């Protein structure tokens, strides 16, 4: 069994053929919750590109059918050229929906695998949410974006792209912030409700205020908001290396559904 550090097992997430419909649905709601500026298709492959933002979720080749490996080498080269036109290194997102033939090709061509991530889900009807201070969502996208960038320590130059991404989200969204007059923004989270599914996006806590319960407080507010709007399940994505976040999510009832990672080829 793989481990995070030396003393804690990774979130386990085994996928059988019966689970693939769940993966397809969560991938689909994930695309709607974090929409790319440009989306093109090659068979069942989705090529997502967003010039103004570096997120791999917005800039990757996403295979969506394990049996789709026709002309895989030619198609991979063709898709990679689209990234070169954007001045980016090509990136492939590997989920259980990716063809093993494609993954073998990536390995043979010496692509680099990185960002091992788990998708976790929670049954909101059964979740026992802690009794924390409740926060209401804001409708001010600009204010939320400023807060999110400040908490993440991200460059202000990303504001136009991030504001455009959030404004392009079609399902109902809750923008949550914790801030005070002295320190400014302390924590942010975006919750996107897509019918009965609530996606937790961009949960961030100020580095100097972590381990004080702010993550629990703001995440609980978002989950309560989604449950009041009749969401039955919540989902999120977290890197396997982020041990504190995984521990928080597990305390609130989240469990691993499946893993994904990225492969990258350096720019030529």
């Amino acid at each position: 069994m793989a481990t995070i550090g030396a003393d804690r097992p990774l979130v386990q997430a085994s996928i059988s053929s019966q689970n693939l419909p769940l993966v397809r649905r969560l991938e689909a709601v994930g695309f709607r919750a974090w929409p790319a500026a440009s989306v093109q298709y090659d068979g069942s492959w989705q090529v997502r590109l967003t010039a103004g933002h570096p997120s791999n979720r917005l800039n990757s080749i996403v295979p969506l059918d394990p049996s789709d490996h026709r002309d895989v080498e030619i198609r991979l080269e063709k898709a990679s050229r689209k990234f070169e036109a954007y001045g980016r290194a090509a990136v492939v997102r590997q989920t259980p929906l990716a063809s093993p033939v494609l993954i073998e090709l990536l390995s043979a061509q010496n692509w680099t695998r990185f960002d091992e991530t788990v998708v976790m889900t929670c049954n909101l009807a059964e979740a026992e949410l802690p009794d924390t201070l409740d926060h209401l969502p804001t409708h001010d996208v600009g204010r939320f974006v400023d807060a999110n960038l400040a908490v993440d320590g991200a460059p202000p130059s990303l504001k136009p792209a991030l504001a455009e991404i959030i404004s392009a989200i079609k399902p109902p969204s809750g923008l949550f912030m914790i801030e005070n007059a002295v320190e400014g923004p302390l924590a942010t989270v975006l919750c996107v409700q897509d019918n009965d599914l609530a996606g937790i996006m961009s949960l961030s806590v100020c580095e100097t205020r972590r381990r004080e319960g702010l993550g629990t407080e703001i995440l609980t507010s978002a989950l309560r908001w989604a449950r009041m709007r009749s969401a039955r399940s919540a989902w999120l994505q977290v890197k396997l290396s982020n041990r504190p976040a995984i521990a928080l999510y597990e305390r609130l009832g989240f469990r691993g559904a499946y893993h994904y990672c990225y492969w990258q080829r350096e720019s030529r």
Side-chain angles (χ1 to χ4, degrees):
M1 180 182 293
T3 60
I4 298 176
D7 58 347
R8 190 176 193 278
L10 290 174
V11 176
Q12 295 301 302
S14 61
I15 291 292
S16 67
S17 59
Q18 289 76 22
N19 298 121
L20 290 181
L22 171 64
V23 180
R24 290 191 178 95
R25 187 174 186 214
L26 290 177
E27 287 292 292
V29 298
F31 296 153
R32 292 193 291 270
W34 205 239
S38 169
V39 179
Q40 302 176 44
Y41 283 89
D42 181 353
S44 66
W45 295 8
Q46 191 178 101
V47 181
R48 297 166 58 80
L49 284 161
T50 303
H53 200 282
S55 166
N56 289 314
R57 284 188 286 185
L58 300 173
N59 296 278
S60 52
I61 303 161
V62 188
L64 296 171
D65 184 349
S67 65
D68 183 4
H69 48 75
R70 173 185 54 81
D71 299 328
V72 62
E73 189 166 359
I74 295 172
R75 292 164 65 195
L76 180 61
E77 183 64 26
K78 179 181 176 183
S80 296
R81 287 198 295 268
K82 297 181 186 297
F83 283 76
E84 292 174 3
Y86 274 67
R88 297 182 183 276
V91 172
V92 174
R93 178 180 168 106
Q94 179 190 349
T95 73
L97 302 178
S99 166
V101 175
L102 171 61
I103 303 310
E104 289 173 7
L105 176 63
L106 297 176
S107 181
Q109 291 187 349
N110 296 317
W111 288 52
T112 302
R113 177 174 172 145
F114 67 102
D115 273 3
E116 303 281 344
T117 300
V118 61
V119 178
M120 305 181 76
T121 60
C122 172
N123 184 332
L124 287 179
E126 299 178 357
E128 295 184 6
L129 301 179
D131 186 17
T132 59
L133 182 66
D134 209 8
H135 297 271
L136 297 176
T138 178
H139 299 289
D140 189 335
V141 173
R143 182 180 168 208
F144 174 83
V145 169
D146 285 337
N148 182 255
L149 293 175
V151 171
D152 278 343
S157 59
L158 288 178
K159 180 175 180 177
L162 185 56
E164 184 175 355
I165 292 163
I166 293 175
S167 297
I169 298 172
K170 296 191 183 306
S173 302
L175 308 173
F176 293 84
M177 301 183 299
I178 298 176
E179 56 187 348
N180 66 38
V182 176
E183 298 171 277
L186 301 177
T188 63
V189 72
L190 164 64
C191 183
V192 180
Q193 185 186 349
D194 198 329
N195 295 311
D196 63 325
L197 292 175
I200 299 298
M201 317 289 293
S202 300
L203 174 60
S204 300
V205 177
C206 182
E207 188 173 2
T208 60
R209 296 292 303 273
R210 290 174 185 170
R211 304 181 190 281
E212 297 181 14
L214 292 176
T216 300
E217 186 175 307
I218 197 166
L219 176 56
T220 300
S221 293
L223 294 177
R224 284 200 193 104
W225 174 83
R227 189 158 65 181
M228 288 177 61
R229 295 175 57 86
S230 301
R232 294 197 293 271
S233 298
W235 63 272
L236 53 81
Q237 304 171 358
V238 57
K239 291 182 183 180
L240 289 174
S241 59
N242 193 345
R243 176 174 173 172
I246 290 174
L248 165 62
Y249 302 145
E250 288 180 335
R251 287 197 300 271
L252 293 180
F254 283 86
R255 297 294 179 263
Y258 64 96
H259 292 170
Y260 73 82
C261 67
Y262 293 100
W263 294 76
Q264 184 174 63
R265 178 166 67 183
E266 296 304 319
S267 299
R268 293 171 290 182

